[in-house]
Amino acid sequence: MTALVEGIHADLTPLLQGLSSADNNVRTQAEQTLQSNWVDPRPELLLLGLVEQMRGAQENVRSFAAVVFRRIASKTQKDPIKNETKELFLTLQSNHKTDIRAKLIECLTAETNKSVRKKTSDAIAEIARQYTDDEEPWPELLGALFTESQSADAARREGAFRIFATTPRIIEKQHEENVLNVFKQGFKDTENNVQIAAMEAFAAFFATIGKKAQAKYYSLLPELLNVMPPLKESQNQDQLSGALMALIDLAELAPKMFRPLFHNLLTFSISVIQEKELGDQTRQNALELMATFADYAPAMCKKENEYTTEMVTQCLSLMTDIGQDDEDASDWNENEDQDSDESDSNHVAGEQCMDRLANKLGGVQILPPTFAWLPRMMTSAAWRDRHAALMAISAISEGCRDLMVPELAKVLELVIPSLKDPHPRVRWAGCNAIGQMSTDFQGVMQDNYHQIILSNIVPVLDSPEPRVQSHAAAALVNFCEDADKGILEQYLDNILNRLLHLLSSPKRYVQEQALSTIATVADSAESAFSKYYDTLMPLLFNVLRGEQSTEFRLLRAKAMECATLIAWAVGKERVGADAAPLCQILANIQQGITESDDPQAQYLMHCWGRMCRILGKDFVPYLSGVLPPLLEAASANADVQILEDDDQAAQIDADEGWELVPLKGKYLGIKTAALEDKFSAIDLLGIYADNLGDAFDPFVSEIMEKVVIKGLKFYFHDAVRLSAAKVVPKFLSCVIKAHGIQSTQTGNFWAAVAPIMLDCLATEINIENLGALYEGFYQSIEQLGKCLDQAQQVAFVEAVRIAIKDYKERVETRLADSADREEGEEVDEDTAFEIEYDQDLLSDMNKTFHIIFRNHGSEFLPHWDSMMDVTVSFLSSTESTQRQWALCIMDDVLEFCGDQSFRYSQHFMKPLIDGCQDTDAANRQAAAYGVGVAAAKGGQAWAEFVAQCLPVLFAVTRMPNARDEDNVYATENACASIGKILHYNSSKVPNVQEITAHWIDTLPVTHDDEAAPYSYLLLKQLIDQRNPAVLSQPAKIIVYIVQALHAQALKGVTATKVVEAGKVLLQAGNVNLGQIMENLSQEAQPVFQSAFA
């Protein structure tokens, strides 16, 4: 320790003793000294001193010095030279950093104590991470690690790989050959610890390199897999478990790397799962490895003949590993903790794996091997087999839905008898299967099988076991949520009588579930529930006014939920005089909430929301009491903690309601539980705005300032930003209703929020949220009219350009991924969601352009001109969604910019004609509509072009299956556009009368509410003009009119005018009414009789 000036270590040694003291006061004083005497004035001496302490002090001091070094080095502060925020170590002068790095390597190579080596390795890994994050090399470390990995000391070899695992990016591209050899030797090491460390390091390194680079390391796979069989043979389950975890990471990154040896790996993994002498965690890791291949390479799994059969068999076997010391389920039944954690149990692992296999591989793969076992298991004398079979049905029903729906009757034949099984856990599992199937086969189960299901599951509510009673009631929730009230009504007496009986159960959780089920039944039965109101509501009032102790809080919360849902179901009139006392009870409960974990608080928020919907503006007097806690929840700040190491992260992760985000070698802990309340509260504020309108205006300004404006940029939780974006137009509506569009209040509202929304449109990275922002923006400007100044128009276009650039990058990534996808392999769920969100985003962007053009017309064109390159590229795209985006914006230019639109004719004409011939019906619709608005709004300049479009428009109406659901809107828009050309812009049409006669044959228009008025008003005009094209076929014309009336495509004044014209045609044409009736459907005939009586 001679490198430092005399006296430094004399000061540092007692400081370290103080920092490690068990005495809080001593430790606090030491922390203050550390900061004021060392970190702030002389960090370079502190880190140099600590690293020398790591080299020469006693073991406990060396270890603690390494921990403190890592903590101090990773602190963030301003770099005085670059004026950037960086980790403290990186702000040191270059010579100090060089000295410290050299000493760290000396510590690594000299340390002999395994525990201290680990702490030293962690400190080195932190500095290495900082260098790699800052894109600076540390070649001396890489050389030292290569040397250490060849050491004769196994602990040193293991330590080198541990550092590689923590900071894999220190390995640079030019070292690929050396790295490959180092890992190969590590996998072949004679010491198991080194082998596992090498596997973990390889998995970490593999994740940092691109797909092309990954392929260079595929040759390591045999040595990698050969690590495991000896571990299994020696029953070394901890290390085998670690090896499997490393393989899981690799399988997620490059599953197809395993293809040549997949059969061997499957065979080995199955043997591990079967080996009951191994620990549960090891067996489950082997199962997880194989399930990971289903998640990331389902096509590869389908091609492996034995995969599905073996996996299903092992899952079912694991699912029978349940209740081993509780044969009669007495302990299980006495356990009142319904949420007891069994996530690490074999039977749960088996169930979850079955669910994943079904969702990824589908019914064709999963159903045959599953149902090869289930009938035998259902008739087994062992209750665990029957239980497993039922849980398997629950697990696979979602993923196998399409193939199971036609066979539901047979599946129910297996499930229904279990509801009378002698063993309570089998009955519980039967209820679970009914509940899950009611959700996964919603609609079909309720409509087609209500009699067999309800007649068998309702009696289970009378079971002697409370847990079975509760689960039967829970299954009823699933069934009733999607049941039509007409179906439920016939069973209400039976259901409610038994549920009322459960309210007197000695088990509180049974009472709570009964209340939830009653609430769901009421919500689904709606007005049919009215007859039970007088029986139930007094009982609920008694519960709410009754026992107030802590253990009854959830019961009261469920009673609140039940009472307000019943009130919502039966309506304001039926609730009558009960509304005021119910609101008073809710207010009293709210005033009594003093603890942050009181479940009543969250339930109350939603109960107040229901009461607002029920009472409308009669709810206003309660707002002064309701809003303060709601605003408190909605304006809550994020509870965020910086966690220095894995130990701290593990402590936080053990608590529910936290999310951990890796952040430069540390973790950012975010308490998400409060944030979920936050976005729920914002949603509820939107409900109040919707229902109260101008009466909510007095509260809008405060909410916007304290909640919404901040919420739009609340980056700790996506859902908060999503909720904030959605409520903006609702609050704007309140202000407009209260003060008017031109008022100062409305102007101030928009002036405050518009810049924030425009900024968020340019910076939001979550696709779903960005779509919601566009939606909130266009819904706002739709209410305001012409409201964007020049700067805001520029900002909007720039935000769109950023969004389109990001969108194109996502499309390119998906194209690259699809090239790597095997034939028949479907896109993964995340990609499917991303595609859906992108489609919604483009749609919401289109709607925003539509409103801006509608409001600002040609004034917006100079700003839109900068988007022309994007529009042109999208028009020629192979992606249908992109073509539609561009066509819809073209339509807006044509519709709202008048004759100014013709200056874009060279860009528009060909895409409009090509669009009418597009294979995508939505694009044909958009192009056909564009031709029509060019004729109607574009002026004489478009006359020749629209006349040239007539053949392609007629071709759209004559396509095969033109009237099918997918094509009808394109067909009807083409019909309407031909009509617009004839009516508005026919000067270049050489044969108008002939075209008119052919146009009539493109009718009727019965689906598109916008196309129908154009078409039928033209038809009326032709009748008024006594045009031969209509006078020659009056019966056909009347049929077309009636079809539109019946479909309600013709309504209001337009319908009246067209019907009157039709009557004139009937009188003039001497039409046979019977002939008209013959050409109408039975449903349309009364419409004809009514309209033309």
Side-chain angles (χ1 to χ4, degrees), residues 194-456:
V194 179
Q195 290 179 309
I196 303 306
M199 291 182 74
E200 292 169 347
F202 179 68
F205 164 69
F206 201 77
T208 66
I209 58 179
K211 287 190 175 181
K212 288 184 179 178
Q214 286 175 351
K216 299 174 184 177
Y217 296 91
Y218 284 9
S219 61
L220 290 173
L221 187 62
E223 285 86 359
L224 187 71
L225 298 182
N226 285 338
V227 171
M228 295 190 296
L231 298 176
K232 176 176 179 286
E233 292 304 316
S234 62
Q235 298 283 296
N236 194 337
Q237 57 186 20
D238 290 342
Q239 291 180 330
L240 178 56
S241 185
L244 289 165
M245 288 297 293
L247 288 183
I248 290 168
D249 292 340
L250 290 169
E252 291 177 357
L253 293 165
K256 290 162 190 171
M257 172 175 72
F258 293 83
R259 184 188 284 114
L261 297 172
F262 186 56
H263 177 79
N264 296 350
L265 181 57
L266 171 66
T267 303
F268 176 78
S269 298
I270 295 298
S271 73
V272 173
I273 301 168
Q274 290 173 324
E275 181 57 75
K276 295 184 179 180
E277 295 303 314
L278 293 170
D280 288 349
Q281 189 59 59
T282 304
R283 297 171 65 199
Q284 289 175 28
N285 283 353
L287 184 74
E288 175 63 27
L289 173 61
M290 287 296 105
T292 301
F293 286 108
D295 289 339
Y296 292 91
M300 188 170 81
C301 296
K302 291 176 183 178
K303 290 176 182 177
E304 173 54 53
N305 293 332
E306 297 177 15
Y307 177 87
T308 307
T309 301
E310 290 285 6
M311 285 293 287
V312 166
T313 301
Q314 295 312 313
C315 285
L316 291 172
S317 176
L318 289 172
M319 290 164 67
T320 62
D321 187 3
I322 183 173
Q324 296 302 329
D325 300 319
D326 188 26
E327 188 65 30
D328 62 355
S330 56
D331 293 344
W332 170 82
N333 192 48
E334 286 302 315
N335 182 8
E336 297 193 15
D337 182 6
Q338 301 292 286
D339 299 318
S340 56
D341 187 12
E342 292 185 298
S343 58
D344 58 351
S345 301
N346 283 339
H347 70 95
V348 174
E351 292 164 19
Q352 292 174 345
C353 187
M354 285 290 283
D355 175 65
R356 289 163 65 185
L357 294 174
N359 278 294
K360 292 298 182 179
L361 304 183
V364 172
Q365 291 285 320
I366 294 298
L367 290 177
T370 303
F371 277 87
W373 284 104
L374 293 195
R376 283 180 283 168
M377 294 174 74
M378 284 303 304
T379 56
S380 168
W383 70 264
R384 294 178 181 84
D385 290 347
R386 304 195 298 276
H387 182 279
L390 291 162
M391 297 305 291
I393 291 172
S394 300
I396 68 172
S397 59
E398 179 187 9
C400 301
R401 185 184 193 282
D402 292 343
L403 290 184
M404 286 182 72
V405 165
E407 306 296 329
L408 267 185
K410 293 179 182 177
V411 177
L412 286 171
E413 285 177 8
L414 287 176
V415 174
I416 293 296
S418 69
L419 299 175
K420 298 177 180 177
D421 196 278
H423 200 282
R425 296 200 72 163
V426 176
R427 272 180 277 128
W428 185 97
C431 294
N432 196 79
I434 293 295
Q436 191 62 52
M437 291 168 68
S438 295
T439 297
D440 293 335
F441 307 123
Q442 58 179 308
V444 180
M445 284 278 281
Q446 287 81 357
D447 294 345
N448 299 345
Y449 300 100
H450 55 87
Q451 197 280 328
I452 188 171
I453 291 170
L454 291 179
S455 62
N456 282 280

Side-chain angles (χ1 to χ4, degrees), residues 410-621:
K410 293 179 182 177
V411 177
L412 286 171
E413 285 177 8
L414 287 176
V415 174
I416 293 296
S418 69
L419 299 175
K420 298 177 180 177
D421 196 278
H423 200 282
R425 296 200 72 163
V426 176
R427 272 180 277 128
W428 185 97
C431 294
N432 196 79
I434 293 295
Q436 191 62 52
M437 291 168 68
S438 295
T439 297
D440 293 335
F441 307 123
Q442 58 179 308
V444 180
M445 284 278 281
Q446 287 81 357
D447 294 345
N448 299 345
Y449 300 100
H450 55 87
Q451 197 280 328
I452 188 171
I453 291 170
L454 291 179
S455 62
N456 282 280
I457 199 165
V458 171
V460 184
L461 295 170
D462 296 333
S463 291
E465 302 87 3
R467 291 195 67 171
V468 178
Q469 293 174 334
S470 176
H471 213 50
L476 277 173
V477 169
N478 294 43
F479 183 88
C480 293
E481 277 177 336
D482 295 295
D484 183 78
K485 72 174 185 178
I487 289 173
L488 274 186
E489 196 166 355
Q490 59 191 301
Y491 301 101
L492 287 179
D493 285 347
N494 200 11
I495 293 172
L496 290 169
N497 285 336
R498 284 181 161 92
L499 289 173
L500 283 170
H501 178 70
L502 293 186
L503 290 178
S504 59
S505 168
K507 299 291 186 182
R508 194 163 57 252
Y509 71 83
V510 176
Q511 298 174 32
E512 291 164 358
Q513 182 59 63
L515 287 170
S516 291
T517 307
I518 291 169
T520 303
V521 172
D523 196 33
S524 297
E526 298 175 350
S527 57
F529 202 84
S530 182
K531 65 181 281 193
Y532 308 97
Y533 179 88
D534 291 331
T535 301
L536 276 164
M537 197 58 91
L539 292 174
L540 296 171
F541 273 39
N542 287 339
V543 173
L544 293 171
R545 288 169 172 153
E547 178 61 56
Q548 300 297 305
S549 56
T550 301
E551 62 267 27
F552 287 91
R553 294 187 308 192
L554 183 57
L555 183 67
R556 286 198 303 277
K558 297 280 188 180
M560 281 189 282
E561 177 185 55
C562 189
T564 52
L565 276 170
I566 289 173
W568 174 244
V570 302
K572 181 178 180 180
E573 207 172 298
R574 183 70 175 86
V575 174
D578 286 338
L582 178 55
C583 286
Q584 188 57 56
I585 289 172
L586 297 180
N588 293 341
I589 292 173
Q590 182 165 288
Q591 290 172 1
I593 293 175
T594 58
E595 298 176 11
S596 60
D597 64 345
D598 192 332
Q600 295 175 111
Q602 191 175 47
Y603 278 81
L604 260 173
M605 286 199 305
H606 297 282
C607 290
W608 283 126
R610 288 184 206 106
M611 294 309 297
C612 178
R613 285 192 291 255
I614 294 164
L615 297 177
K617 292 191 176 181
D618 290 341
F619 186 76
V620 171

